[in-house]
Amino acid sequence: MSTWDESDPAAIAFLFVACARTADGELAEAEVVRIVERIAAWMPGASIDELHEILARAVELFGAAPDPRALHELVHATSDRLAALLAVEERERLVTELIGLSYADGQVDIGETDFVLAVAKILDVEVALADD
């Protein structure tokens, strides 16, 4: 059973932003659109302004990390918190959405793959990699 509350979409948005920016340090237009769509799915009934506010807070939090180590620690702490709060199905949904986000700009790089696998491990969600 979930102990979800209204602050959790910001934590999820932060993971989405961190995943998208891990690869190249930027948010592509397709990634922004995808993130807003996914946040909306976690917040039914939210206004577009609320969704963009949550995205802006997530981007700000990402940018406030003073170095890669601090960012890594923040991603880990956020993932730990969500692991404790979300039901199994919600954790699986979150990992699936991170995988989808990694495809949003048309290519998946190793940084995105590593990010998704690390978060999935913290969330205790099994991920199988496809063989190329």
Side-chain angles (χ1 to χ4, degrees):
M1 178 118 188
S2 175
T3 56
W4 176 262
D5 68 38
E6 290 304 313
S7 67
D8 297 322
I12 290 170
F14 170 74
L15 290 182
F16 290 156
V17 168
C19 181
R21 290 193 57 187
T22 293
D24 58 13
E26 298 180 12
L27 280 177
E29 177 76 21
E31 292 168 328
V32 171
V33 169
R34 179 72 177 226
I35 291 169
V36 170
E37 288 173 351
R38 298 323 317 145
I39 297 167
W42 287 92
M43 295 180 63
S47 71
I48 193 71
D49 289 339
E50 290 171 313
L51 298 173
H52 282 281
E53 180 182 318
I54 286 174
L55 176 59
R57 286 190 351 230
V59 168
E60 182 180 325
L61 183 59
F62 181 92
D67 56 48
R69 182 172 183 229
L71 182 59
H72 174 78
E73 290 172 359
L74 185 54
V75 166
H76 198 283
T78 301
S79 300
D80 275 341
R81 177 173 174 258
L82 290 170
L85 292 175
L86 299 177
V88 172
E89 297 82 13
E90 292 168 321
R91 295 192 316 265
E92 291 170 348
R93 172 183 165 196
L94 177 55
V95 171
T96 299
E97 290 175 351
L98 286 169
I99 292 167
L101 176 61
S102 67
Y103 284 96
D105 64 358
Q107 64 182 26
V108 179
D109 90 357
I110 191 70
E112 291 168 319
T113 301
D114 290 346
F115 182 91
V116 171
L117 292 174
V119 170
K121 183 176 181 179
I122 295 166
L123 294 176
D124 196 25
V125 172
E126 215 170 296
V127 176
L129 296 177
D131 292 329
D132 290 317

